[in-house]
Each structure stands twice: as structure tokens, then as C-alpha cells.
Amino acid sequence: MGRLVFEGLKVLDFTWVAAGPILTQSLADHGAMVVRVESATRPDILRMAPPYKDKKAGIDRSGYFARFNTDKYGVSLNLNHPRAGSVIRRLVDWCDVAVENFTPGSLKHWGWDYEELRKLKPDIIMLSTSNQGQTGPHSHHPGHGGILTSLAGFSQLTGWEDQEACQPFGALTDFITPLLGTIALIGALEFRRRTGEGQYLDLSQYESSLLTLTPVMLDWFANGHQATRMGNRSPHAAPHGAYPCQGEDKWCVVAVESEQEWLALCRALGQPFLTDDPRFTSLDKRMQNQDALDLIITDWTSQRTPQEAMDILQKIGVPAGAVQDPAEMLEDIQLKHRRHFKVLEHPEIGPQHYENPPFHLSRTPAELRMPSPCVGQHNEYIYREVLGMPDEEFVELLVDGVLV
Amino acid sequence: MNSMLGGYGALDLTDWRGWLCGRVLADMGVEVTKVEPPGGDPDRMREPFYHGEAQPEKSLWWWAYNQGKKSITLDIEIPTGAEVLRSLVKKTDFFIENFPPGHLDALGLGHATLQSLNPSLIWVSITPFGQDGPYRDYRATDIVTMALGGFMSVTGEPGRAPLRLSFPVSHSLASLQAALGAMVAFHHRQATEEGQFVDTSAQESVATALLNALPMWDINRVMIERSGRFRSGLSSGVKQRQMWACKDGEVAFMVLGGLGGAQSNRALVKWMEAEGMGNNMLSSMEWDQFDMATASREFHSQAEEAIGRFFMAHTKQELHQGAVDRGIWLQPVSIPKDIAESAHLAARDFWAKVPHPEVGEDIIYPGPFFKSTATPIQVGHRAPLVGEHNQEVYREVLGLGDGDLEDLKQKGVI
């Protein structure tokens, strides 16, 4: 393996839960030394969330936490302890970049906001990310990605037109905003390289997620039109939906945007004469007669497995895809070919499938090397070897309950 | 004004599914030039349009994701055009495209060729499934990658078909992953002058966004089910409501554990009590001891009944403000109007007015995606008109004269 891109970059990671840890994970998987500062006195919520190894709860047993913390070092430090300051000072002195995602104001409460960090290290790059940014009347409103996804407009765009909104699975904003955060950090590193200057970045998860929804917001501001959910239908394609296949809860999606694809679909269905059916002779007409169209396709898909339906349609040039559940994802031939998953062995959890970045770099690919850290797993290494803390002090801080 | 990436350039050959990648680089100061076929990018005809007027300069999709970019026209499908592109590639830093794998090779514009012309070039590719593998040539729109990427199996109502969002999220995720890949490659290049190929897969981009669905199966063999307005996958096998009806809309709220959850739950229960809508079970809960993993079906159904009744007695706005005041983990299910009228976003001066002289008004856009003490994002000018920067780019970058330009125009190259 060659040199990893961020080898030598030192990241002080005060983040927790999802958006923050995902943001620093890309740096870690590409070689940065990311030190996650945690405390067993207030553990990361995801350490207390299933799945646990053997379904037995334990602070180092959650595969949920593990997923977002590959290749990071873990140290424990009780920020509420009066002697935590001397440790933080050393960590700040050591790092290039500091990242945190506490509720705004929390770090200041402990005495460690950007102004303080900057006094110790004038060229430090610091990024704070929170649900709604560091300022403004709602900045202190606590929350998490699961509900921010609703505030930011994604839930309203999910569901059937005849039903209430439905939650897009998980916490979508937690997978949009960290990408933009890491992008901004790398930009800040470039700026520092050129000018020697550090900076402070305020990444609002609400605002950064809205970047992706710009077309929807323009439609409101320019046209007064409220985009809303429409099931699986699309204003740009028909047929467009998920169709039932052989088996229980098995589905294949089909999307037809062009006339060429429509002709191909009719051939695949074994009904070439459909192209002459007056209900379907243009995209507009197919849109108007989607219910009838859906029945015809359902008739065909329900005699096949999702994989068969997809392969037949794709071979003839029709966009189609099996709806895959997590078990099928792990067996997906494309993801296997792409080595999307990599199994790492965690001391408590055992083997787990972790994911490589979805962007493959030809010269300097990411390399998943370490599973997520146990709480305080690297205390000795980081505090004594990396920071050079004298033995007596290290032991004293341990005994005094600072390093927990 | 300082910017993170001022002085660098990108050529953007993507269609609508990849526009967002270059938009992010443009926000950070890269001079991004959209390379359109003569007559304009066909996806300029993607609706919705400004005032419903179906014209190439009025697509809101185009406006949204091409803000701050320049535009040149160039027919890269003919040899003279390909030659012009090769000249441009020598003078750029990023090359962003989302053609089907192999398409550019056939035009003499493959990676090996362009990299040899510019060894520092960062080539950013966005495709549904990546450049290799059995699905490499499969076609996909958003719904296909949302299906194969696993998102649909866990989104939607039980008993009905799996759902995608009514917005192409897989393209957003892939474009942002590609932009991140471009930045990682850029960081390497700044240290070594070596360019490289960034091969981004939309399917993989979706797979990474599945929160805990994969580890739940991987570690516990628990399959998360589509649960609509509920959440499944809890250890006790119960479903928990997360989307609720209120007087005039919907809100999102979950009874959660941990210290934060305890504070949020207590605050809501106190509010319910203060309005005479308390519930004995909720009032007597020891929230610090509350464990999501063992909460019973009975607990959830009682909690749902009491909380649901309270929410139905209030408007979305009342619940939102009350949640802000009391620190409750609750958010409204916003429609675009709610977002546009957010007092919080207004106080942060988030929205940006972008002049659109062609339609005679300023249009409001979402503002910068981060705030910075040193390199704030400068909100870009409106998306370019077809070939708006032909003169500037071909003269200044390539040093072509009037005769050359006229010649290229005659041949239908630009």
C-alpha cells in the first residue's frame, strides 16, 4: 500500500453521535491521525445503541458506533474534571485541526471555544457543526439528524400522495452535511498551506443540507410552488415505480424516460404492440395513464424475481433495479466487485462489514486499517508516546479520574 | 476577497445528475466552466421552470446547480471539438464528467490521454455503479440507485411498495461524494503534483447513507422493516412513532433514551402537565433510567396516545416554538414555505439574493453551506447563459483570435 493522502495530518476530534464522527472518518480512512476524545462519564449515544455483539449491551459492543469510527484513535477524558485543561492544552498544541459537534456553547462552557484554542495555536483550523449553526434564535435547540431531516424539508418530500409524510430511512442530513464539512476542512487546509492562516468554520447541518434542495426552494421563491411527495412517480418519467416480484416483499424498480426506453420495455414485456396503444404513445399520455401501465408491468414482474426482471430489462436498455435489503447488499455482485465492504476484526464485536468510501482514488485509495476504538483504548499510546506525558502525571491523572 | 480555492479551475461536462459536484467547488472559489454541446445542455429543459416557461435559460434545476459557473459551448463528439477540449484540459485542475463508462475513451478523450497532457489533472467521474464490475453498463435514474443502494427497502409504508424520496437524493449524495473525492485527490496533488482518477459510484454513495440498517443485519441478523411514520429495528421488536399529526400539519419527535433524551422527554411531559394534558405513566417515568432497547409495546402505545393527543391540540408553529423554548427534541415537518419563512434562517442572514437581469428580478437562493472567519463563501452569480463565456474562455484561456473563433463556429464546433 502506498502513502495515504492525509498521513501526518493531526485531527483532534471532539465529535459524537453521527454527523461529527462521519465528517472525521473520511480523513481517518485516508490516513489522518484522528484522536477521538470521549468520556465514559458521558458516552457517545451510539455506544449505547443496538446492534450489540450477541445482543448484549456494552459500551464497546455497538456495531452502530463502530460503523462511523474506523481508523480513529480513542482516548478518554472527563471534560468536567478541573484538571482536564492541562490535557486539552497538550492535545490542541499537537493538532492541526479540531472538530466538534456539541450543542453550541458547550465547549465555551468548558473554556475551549475557538478563541481559546487559537491563543494556544494561532493557525488552528476548527470546525463546529451543529443542527442549526452557532448563532441565531434556534442555535441552542437540541436535536439530531432523525428529526432535522423533517425540519430541512426531506420528510415532506417522502411518502404517498394520499398519505401523510413518511420518514426517509434513518437520518438523511447526517449523510449530506458531513461530506460538505470534510470538503470545507480540506479547503481550509489548502488555504492554510497557501497563507499560513487557520480559521473557524460554522457548519449548520440545516443550511448545508438545503444546498441539495436548492431546486425545491427556487420553485417556491420564484413560482410559489410547493414541491411535495408523489409516491414513486416522477415528473420526468413514466412508467416509474417499484413493481412486485416473485417472493415475499420483493420488488424491482423500472424507470422509463425516453421513447427508446419505452420501445425496449414493450419488447421486453413481449408486448411490442403496446407502442401503438393510444394510451401510451407519448410521455404525456403515459403519465396520464400510469395506473393502467403499472398493472401491465406488475403482471410481468410478478412472474419473475427482482434480479431476473432487472437483468432482462437492463440487457435491453431499460433502467431497472432490484430493491435490495441489507442482507442482499452484502451479497450484491457489483458491491463485491467494487470491494465496497471490508471486514475488520474488532476486539469486542468481532468481524464486521465496514464500508470503503464511494469514491475510489486511482493512486491513493483509502485503506480501512483499524476498527473503531474502545473507550480509552489508546490512552497510553496517545498521552504518553504521542503527547510525551511523563509517567507519573499519566498515572496521577488516571487515578484522579481525569482520563475516564 | 479570500477564498479557499481561488485560482484553480474546473471543466464540468456533467449532465443534471452531476451538476452539484462542480457547484460545490465553485462555491469554494474554483472557476468552474460548464462545457455544453452547441445549443446548450439538453438538461436545461428539465422542469420546473421559472414561471413555468419551458426555455433553456429558465430551468430551475439549471439555475440551482450551475450558480457561479461559466459556460462555453463545444461539440466534443467531433474531432476538432475533442482537440479543443484537449487544449483546455492542459490548463485546468479538475475535470468532472458523468458519461457512461467508456464514452470518452471512444472520443479520444480517455483518462490516459488527458492525464498525459496534464499529469496533475484530477479527473472526477460520477456513474451509477462505478467504472467497473458487472453493473458497469447498466442504466440508472435515481430510483434505480436508491433501490440497489438499499435505501428503498427501508423507506415507505408497511404493506405498500418501497419508496424513494420524491427528490433525487442519490444524485445529491453521489455528487457530494465526488466533490469530496476531488478534494482528497487535490490535497494529494498539492503535496506531490500528481493527479489521479476519482471513480464515484452512486450505488455506493446511497449504501453509506443507511444509518444502522447494515450493522443491524450484519451483527444481529435483525432486518429493519419499512415502517412509514414509525421507527423499527429497536431491540424489543416494537415500533415507535416518529412522525405525528398536529392541528395543521405534522411534526417529528421520538421518545429517546440517554441524557439528552431524558431532558427532552421530561421537558415535553412537564409541558403536557402544565396544560392539563399529562399522563400518569409518563409523569411517573424515571427518564434517566429509560432504555429504548427494553421499552415495551404497552409503553409505546400509551405514550403515543397521550403525546398524540397533545400534539393534535397544537399547531405546528406552537409545537416548534415550544420545543425551542423548552429544549425538546421535536421539529416541524417543514414544507418549502416554512423553510423560506424561518425566523432562525433569517436571523443568520442565510438567504442570498441573486440578480437575474434576464427575467428582471432578484431570485432568492439558499446561502453559503458554511460560515467562515477567513474564507467565507461568496454567493455566485446566476447560472450562465448558453455559451455566455465563449469569447472570454476561448480568447483568454486558449488565446484564439477572431478568425479561429469564426472558423470553429462555422464548423459547428462551438
Side-chain angles (χ1 to χ4, degrees):
Chain A
M1 217 58 211
R3 188 177 173 276
L4 292 162
V5 172
F6 295 113
E7 251 169 60
L9 179 68
K10 292 171 277 190
V11 181
L12 175 54
D13 185 351
F14 287 111
T15 66
W16 66 333
V17 200
I22 295 169
L23 197 160
T24 55
Q25 189 177 27
S26 310
L27 299 174
D29 290 343
H30 285 94
M33 186 165 190
V34 176
V35 174
R36 260 205 75 170
V37 179
E38 296 183 83
S39 176
T41 62
R42 189 170 181 170
D44 189 320
I45 293 164
L46 296 193
R47 286 190 178 277
M48 329 245 290
Y52 300 114
K53 172 70 175 170
D54 301 328
K55 301 196 178 179
K56 258 173 55 195
I59 202 161
D60 294 319
R61 301 176 69 84
S62 165
Y64 194 171
F65 172 87
R67 185 173 183 224
F68 304 132
N69 290 288
T70 46
D71 297 315
K72 297 180 191 175
Y73 293 84
V75 298
S76 50
L77 177 64
N78 178 3
L79 290 171
N80 285 318
H81 197 286
R83 291 185 65 187
S86 71
V87 182
I88 292 187
R89 227 164 274 132
R90 283 197 186 85
L91 284 165
V92 171
D93 194 48
W94 163 82
C95 78
D96 299 292
V97 171
V99 186
E100 63 96 12
N101 68 333
F102 294 114
T103 304
S106 305
L107 265 193
K108 195 180 171 94
H109 161 79
W110 284 306
W112 299 108
D113 60 352
Y114 173 61
E115 288 312 317
E116 288 305 312
L117 264 54
R118 207 179 146 190
K119 281 181 199 156
L120 296 171
K121 198 172 188 74
D123 68 347
I124 196 167
I125 294 166
M126 180 174 177
L127 182 144
S128 293
T129 180
S130 61
N131 270 204
Q132 303 195 53
Q134 299 297 307
T135 59
H138 298 176
S139 60
H140 288 70
H141 185 194
H144 53 88
I147 56 175
L148 185 66
T149 297
S150 288
L151 179 70
F154 293 96
S155 308
Q156 187 270 144
L157 287 165
T158 311
W160 298 97
E161 52 278 52
D162 60 355
Q163 282 187 307
E164 294 158 297
C166 134
Q167 173 81 350
F169 177 73
L172 193 53
T173 55
D174 284 340
F175 298 91
I176 292 172
T177 201
L179 302 176
L180 288 161
T182 317
I183 287 167
L185 273 183
I186 303 171
L189 285 167
E190 165 63 15
F191 185 72
R192 193 185 70 170
R193 188 190 68 80
R194 277 207 318 260
T195 63
E197 280 179 50
Q199 62 181 298
Y200 178 67
L201 296 162
D202 169 10
L203 180 74
S204 155
Q205 294 160 21
Y206 185 12
E207 291 166 9
S208 54
S209 297
L210 283 177
L211 170 66
T212 69
L213 289 181
T214 303
V216 169
M217 292 314 299
L218 291 185
D219 200 16
W220 168 251
F221 284 120
N223 295 336
H225 177 251
Q226 309 264 16
T228 188
R229 56 191 168 277
M230 46 195 310
N232 277 325
R233 290 192 168 163
S234 157
H236 309 281
H240 191 275
Y243 300 91
C245 297
Q246 263 178 14
E248 196 190 329
D249 197 30
K250 296 291 173 199
W251 306 80
C252 179
V253 301
V254 178
V256 170
E257 288 185 317
S258 68
E259 288 311 302
Q260 195 192 356
E261 287 166 355
W262 168 240
L263 299 183
L265 175 67
C266 296
R267 275 207 312 281
L269 298 181
Q271 302 191 41
F273 53 86
L274 268 186
T275 55
D276 300 325
D277 189 317
R279 293 173 299 172
F280 307 133
T281 47
S282 68
L283 180 59
D284 278 350
K285 287 189 180 161
R286 290 195 292 278
M287 294 256 189
Q288 285 158 25
N289 296 295
Q290 283 193 78
D291 290 338
L293 200 49
D294 286 350
L295 287 177
I296 295 168
I297 296 169
T298 297
D299 215 37
W300 185 83
T301 53
S302 54
Q303 299 166 44
R304 286 161 183 84
T305 68
Q307 187 71 39
E308 283 164 5
M310 167 172 85
D311 288 338
I312 294 169
L313 294 175
Q314 284 284 2
K315 296 232 153 82
I316 201 165
V318 179
V323 173
Q324 304 202 98
D325 64 27
E328 289 160 337
M329 299 281 290
L330 293 178
E331 297 303 320
D332 177 280
I333 53 172
Q334 178 68 15
L335 294 175
K336 275 194 173 161
H337 178 92
R338 299 273 295 171
R339 296 192 181 87
H340 180 67
F341 296 107
K342 177 165 180 179
V343 176
L344 296 174
E345 185 86 21
H346 184 282
E348 295 267 338
I349 301 168
Q352 178 174 349
H353 287 81
Y354 293 86
E355 287 172 87
N356 277 302
F359 55 87
H360 299 213
L361 301 182
S362 58
R363 267 186 207 273
T364 58
E367 192 192 346
L368 271 53
R369 309 169 310 284
M370 293 197 296
S372 64
C374 299
V375 174
Q377 184 180 338
H378 302 99
N379 280 354
E380 271 218 48
Y381 174 60
I382 297 294
Y383 289 139
R384 294 176 66 184
E385 286 185 41
V386 175
L387 300 185
M389 191 182 281
D391 288 358
E392 324 71 86
E393 190 186 354
F394 178 68
V395 173
E396 213 182 286
L397 291 173
L398 270 179
V399 173
D400 280 4
V402 184
L403 308 183
V404 292
Chain B
M1 203 53 174
N2 287 329
S3 74
M4 285 174 170
L5 301 177
Y8 298 101
L11 296 174
D12 180 352
L13 284 81
T14 60
D15 66 18
W16 75 280
R17 298 166 300 169
W19 290 341
L20 180 60
C21 175
R23 162 73 206 275
V24 171
L25 297 183
D27 280 3
M28 294 168 66
V30 175
E31 184 171 301
V32 181
T33 303
K34 187 79 188 61
V35 180
E36 306 187 59
D41 187 326
D43 288 332
R44 284 174 171 273
M45 290 309 286
R46 193 166 186 84
E47 63 175 324
F49 296 95
Y50 172 82
H51 291 188
E53 297 160 14
Q55 298 162 22
E57 301 298 1
K58 292 186 178 170
S59 161
L60 300 181
W61 279 97
W62 174 262
W63 286 8
Y65 290 160
N66 292 291
Q67 190 191 358
K69 297 182 193 174
K70 296 185 170 179
S71 160
I72 58 171
T73 52
L74 181 63
D75 186 355
I76 64 162
E77 310 273 335
I78 59 176
T80 335
E83 186 53 40
V84 173
L85 187 69
R86 283 192 287 269
S87 311
L88 287 167
V89 162
K90 288 182 198 162
K91 301 187 176 182
T92 197
D93 302 284
F94 301 92
F95 181 81
I96 314 167
E97 58 86 18
N98 64 346
F99 292 105
H103 180 83
L104 287 171
D105 297 81
L107 302 176
L109 296 166
H111 180 242
T113 310
L114 299 196
Q115 197 79 75
S116 72
L117 295 172
N118 179 353
S120 297
L121 184 70
I122 294 163
W123 178 310
V124 186
S125 146
I126 309 165
T127 54
F129 305 104
Q131 292 286 323
D132 53 19
Y135 296 168
R136 164 193 136 116
D137 298 320
Y138 275 15
R139 292 176 185 227
T141 63
D142 175 69
I143 196 170
V144 173
T145 34
M146 290 297 271
L148 284 162
F151 206 95
M152 289 181 68
S153 78
V154 284
T155 299
E157 302 288 340
R160 293 184 81 168
L163 280 177
R164 71 160 192 150
L165 283 80
S166 296
F167 186 86
V169 166
S170 75
H171 301 325
S172 306
L173 291 170
S175 294
L176 295 182
Q177 290 283 1
L180 174 54
M183 290 302 292
V184 176
F186 179 71
H187 190 81
H188 177 72
R189 189 193 90 152
Q190 296 307 80
T192 62
E193 296 185 5
E194 279 177 0
Q196 60 182 314
F197 193 92
V198 181
D199 168 9
T200 315
S201 150
Q203 181 195 19
E204 291 171 58
S205 302
V206 173
T208 59
L210 293 183
L211 199 67
N212 60 342
L214 283 161
M216 283 300 279
W217 174 255
D218 194 23
I219 310 279
N220 284 169
R221 288 294 182 263
V222 169
M223 191 63 81
I224 291 185
E225 292 161 15
R226 288 194 300 285
S227 314
R229 291 175 289 283
F230 292 78
R231 188 165 78 116
S232 82
L234 307 171
S235 295
S236 48
V238 299
K239 289 185 179 177
Q240 179 197 20
R241 186 174 270 277
Q242 52 181 352
M243 311 279 283
W244 310 68
C246 65
K247 223 182 209 173
D248 60 347
E250 290 165 81
V251 294
F253 169 80
M254 280 175 257
V255 178
L256 290 179
L259 284 176
Q263 282 164 15
S264 167
N265 301 339
R266 258 196 300 270
L268 175 63
V269 171
K270 229 176 110 190
W271 186 14
M272 290 165 64
E273 287 166 356
E275 300 203 357
M277 296 187 76
N279 165 284
N280 287 339
M281 181 196 77
L282 293 178
S283 295
S284 61
M285 283 294 291
E286 297 282 350
W287 290 112
D288 291 323
Q289 314 302 320
F290 176 70
D291 183 0
M292 284 304 299
T294 53
S296 67
R297 201 174 300 267
E298 172 57 21
F299 166 82
H300 280 299
S301 75
Q302 255 207 62
E304 188 186 332
E305 196 277 325
I307 295 169
R309 212 154 35 87
F310 181 74
F311 288 169
M312 276 309 288
H314 293 87
T315 64
K316 191 158 65 168
Q317 176 56 29
E318 285 162 9
L319 291 170
H320 187 195
Q321 191 58 50
V324 170
D325 295 342
R326 293 169 178 82
I328 300 167
W329 285 356
L330 174 147
Q331 294 290 3
V333 175
S334 304
I335 58 175
K337 178 172 183 284
D338 300 330
I339 297 170
E341 291 173 357
S342 158
H344 174 74
L345 293 176
R348 277 174 62 83
D349 205 12
F350 174 60
W351 302 105
K353 272 190 178 169
V354 176
H356 274 262
E358 292 75 16
V359 299
E361 65 169 321
D362 292 352
I363 305 288
I364 298 172
Y365 281 65
F369 68 83
F370 62 74
K371 291 184 186 291
S372 153
T373 53
T375 56
I377 288 176
Q378 300 300 299
V379 171
H381 55 74
R382 58 119 180 85
L385 310 176
V386 178
E388 185 174 351
H389 303 91
N390 274 352
Q391 293 285 335
E392 181 186 325
V393 171
Y394 287 126
R395 275 176 206 279
E396 287 170 25
V397 181
L398 290 189
L400 300 183
D402 287 344
D404 305 321
L405 281 175
E406 194 48 42
D407 190 39
L408 289 174
K409 212 179 267 178
Q410 290 300 324
K411 289 180 180 150
V413 179
I414 66 177

